[in-house]
């Protein structure tokens, strides 16, 4: 296993954070200062959006990543994965993003998954639970050219 850019795991704010793209044949294992770990499978694209003492925000553009977050750690964790946002308290969970959906599964602990397509916009997942959030691919609806929408006369 190789290591990712040090900016992704630095404890302080980072303005030069770079994305991590794992080669198709190898995985990347990151260990953060608080003992939390991130395992990115081959072909995964993971980008730190905000790295600060109280918050870590990552964007999973594609692929699979497993996050092992130390409970009670100093930071709030968020993983942005297209149509879904995963908010972490202290847990081990996996996020898979494909062109069709985002799949979140929890090994232990609890996460909140937020997406417009979920009932009330949020789902709480605990140990052994998982959810699939489909990509929003429905085209916007427009009035047909053959029968345009009629406006009331004033």
């Amino acid at each position: 296993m190789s290591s990712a850019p040090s900016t992704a795991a630095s404890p302080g704010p980072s303005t030069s954070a770079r994305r991590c793209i794992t080669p198709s044949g190898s995985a990347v294992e990151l260990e953060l200062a608080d003992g939390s770990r991130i395992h990115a499978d081959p072909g995964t694209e993971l980008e730190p959006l905000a790295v600060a003492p109280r918050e870590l925000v990552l964007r999973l553009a594609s692929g699979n990543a497993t996050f092992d977050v130390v409970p009670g750690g100093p930071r709030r964790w968020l993983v942005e994965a297209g149509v879904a946002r995963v908010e972490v308290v202290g847990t081990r969970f996996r996020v898979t993003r494909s062109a069709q959906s985002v799949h979140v599964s929890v090994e232990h602990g609890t996460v909140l998954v937020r997406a417009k397509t979920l009932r009330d916009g949020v789902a709480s997942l605990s140990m052994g639970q998982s959810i699939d959030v489909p990509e929003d691919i429905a085209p916007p609806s427009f009035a047909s050219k053959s029968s345009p929408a009629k406006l009331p006369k004033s």
Side-chain angles (χ1 to χ4, degrees):
M1 301 215 178
S2 61
S3 63
S6 61
T7 55
S10 65
S14 174
T15 56
S16 63
R18 296 173 291 169
R19 65 185 172 167
C20 169
I21 303 174
T22 58
S24 59
S26 63
V28 171
E29 187 83 29
L30 293 166
E31 183 168 349
L32 282 68
D34 70 353
S36 296
R37 295 176 172 269
I38 302 170
H39 175 89
D41 286 355
T44 296
E45 183 177 348
L46 188 63
E47 177 183 10
L49 299 177
V51 180
R54 311 266 297 145
E55 182 175 64
L56 178 63
V57 181
L58 302 167
R59 181 176 77 91
L60 180 63
S62 62
N64 306 304
T66 300
F67 303 86
D68 194 355
V69 181
V70 172
R75 299 186 210 195
R76 175 176 166 221
W77 282 58
L78 294 171
V79 178
E80 303 284 352
V83 296
R85 167 187 266 185
V86 183
E87 188 174 333
V88 183
V89 177
T91 188
R92 181 173 171 88
F93 66 102
R94 183 173 182 83
V95 180
T96 301
R97 183 173 180 189
S98 69
Q100 297 79 25
S101 68
V102 173
H103 179 81
V104 180
S105 60
V106 178
E107 289 185 32
H108 63 81
T110 302
V111 299
L112 295 177
V113 179
R114 298 184 188 279
K116 289 186 238 179
T117 56
L118 296 175
R119 183 177 180 187
D120 297 326
V122 65
S124 177
L125 301 180
S126 297
M127 183 174 74
Q129 293 182 315
S130 65
I131 193 167
D132 283 299
V133 181
E135 287 284 343
D136 184 16
I137 56 173
S141 59
F142 296 99
S144 168
K145 287 184 180 179
S146 60
S147 57
K150 296 182 181 179
L151 299 174
K153 294 182 182 182
S154 43

